[in-house]
Amino acid sequence: MNTLKFYMVTFFIICSVPYVCNAQIDYNQRNTQASLDVMQYSIKNNHNSNKNAKGSPFINETFEVLKFKKFGNKVFSGRYDANLGEMQIRRENDTIALNANENFEITFVSSNKTYKTLSYIDNDGISKRGFLVVLNETDSIALLKEEVIKFHEEKPSTNGYDKAKPAEYKRVKDTYYYKIGEHVSVLPQKRKEFTKLFPEHSKKLEVFIKKNKISLKKEDDLISLFKHIGTL
């Protein structure tokens, strides 16, 4: 009798496992969906009226596979609108734009390109918050990049000689930032101003920059420089 009861209980447990697992998966999916609902706002879509413009407001027009650090290995589909500063996430029934006031760390799988939401001070001294590309990062310092695409309105011909210019999305020069602690600001492009950021290592950095012919305007050089700073 005890043996029969044991087999019945075992059979019941085995039959129940798929339902429990499916319920857990369904709960996780709903929980993730609810989290995204809280962390999104309506897409501005002002570029829809500019659909005939040359170029694109997106760094990559197509949606690509990405992951959120906070959601582990779960994959999503997204793209970055560098005109509006929006990270768009395509879901099953809609497309949302993430609220940059939330803390996000997002990595595009194929390129291993990571974006973070950060508060920073731009070239004009204006405080902003948005998505910046992480080029190099340690616990104490980071090299970041702001991607911007500007929209230029259509310019009709003013006389019979000049040509009309169509509306156009045009990417502007990237702006590089440094992060020390929680402070994020524009990276100086002059060597003396840059080395002042690291007074304890200024002389060593002067030597490294000269020896390796580092340009503070070239991305690859900046990455090499920040990797070196991480070793000091």
Side-chain angles (χ1 to χ4, degrees), residues 103-158:
N103 291 321
F104 290 110
E105 183 173 338
I106 296 168
T107 300
F108 284 87
V109 175
S110 63
S111 61
N112 199 32
K113 184 179 184 180
T114 297
Y115 289 81
K116 278 188 176 183
T117 47
L118 293 162
S119 297
Y120 59 98
I121 301 171
D122 70 7
N123 263 322
D124 298 317
I126 299 173
S127 295
K128 293 182 176 180
R129 185 171 175 84
F131 289 91
L132 298 178
V133 180
V134 180
L135 298 176
N136 183 261
E137 185 176 33
T138 66
D139 292 337
S140 59
I141 187 172
L143 172 64
L144 309 158
K145 178 174 71 173
E146 181 183 25
E147 299 170 321
V148 176
I149 293 175
K150 289 190 176 181
F151 177 70
H152 299 273
E153 297 282 355
E154 179 183 2
K155 290 184 179 180
S157 174
T158 56

Side-chain angles (χ1 to χ4, degrees), residues 62-207:
T62 57
F63 284 88
E64 298 179 288
V65 176
L66 58 79
K67 293 181 180 180
F68 289 78
K69 184 178 180 180
K70 64 176 67 184
F71 296 139
N73 288 323
K74 185 174 178 61
V75 295
F76 297 83
S77 182
R79 61 184 181 180
Y80 182 60
D81 185 332
N83 175 245
L84 299 176
E86 287 182 344
M87 185 65 72
Q88 296 185 358
I89 304 298
R90 184 169 63 186
R91 304 192 294 187
E92 186 175 351
N93 299 314
D94 62 0
T95 298
I96 62 171
L98 300 178
N99 186 347
N101 288 320
E102 298 285 342
N103 291 321
F104 290 110
E105 183 173 338
I106 296 168
T107 300
F108 284 87
V109 175
S110 63
S111 61
N112 199 32
K113 184 179 184 180
T114 297
Y115 289 81
K116 278 188 176 183
T117 47
L118 293 162
S119 297
Y120 59 98
I121 301 171
D122 70 7
N123 263 322
D124 298 317
I126 299 173
S127 295
K128 293 182 176 180
R129 185 171 175 84
F131 289 91
L132 298 178
V133 180
V134 180
L135 298 176
N136 183 261
E137 185 176 33
T138 66
D139 292 337
S140 59
I141 187 172
L143 172 64
L144 309 158
K145 178 174 71 173
E146 181 183 25
E147 299 170 321
V148 176
I149 293 175
K150 289 190 176 181
F151 177 70
H152 299 273
E153 297 282 355
E154 179 183 2
K155 290 184 179 180
S157 174
T158 56
N159 53 53
Y161 300 99
D162 63 336
K163 292 183 178 180
K165 291 184 178 181
E168 181 180 15
Y169 286 104
K170 197 169 184 180
R171 185 165 176 174
V172 300
K173 188 178 179 181
D174 296 331
T175 302
Y176 296 98
Y177 293 82
Y178 69 94
K179 178 177 182 286
I180 297 178
E182 295 303 314
H183 177 79
V184 181
S185 194
V186 176
L187 189 73
Q189 292 188 331
K190 292 182 178 180
R191 189 171 60 200
K192 287 185 178 181
E193 291 180 5
F194 177 83
T195 56
K196 283 180 181 179
L197 299 176
F198 311 96
E200 294 180 1
H201 307 295
S202 59
K203 290 183 179 180
K204 290 181 181 179
L205 289 176
E206 285 271 2
V207 172

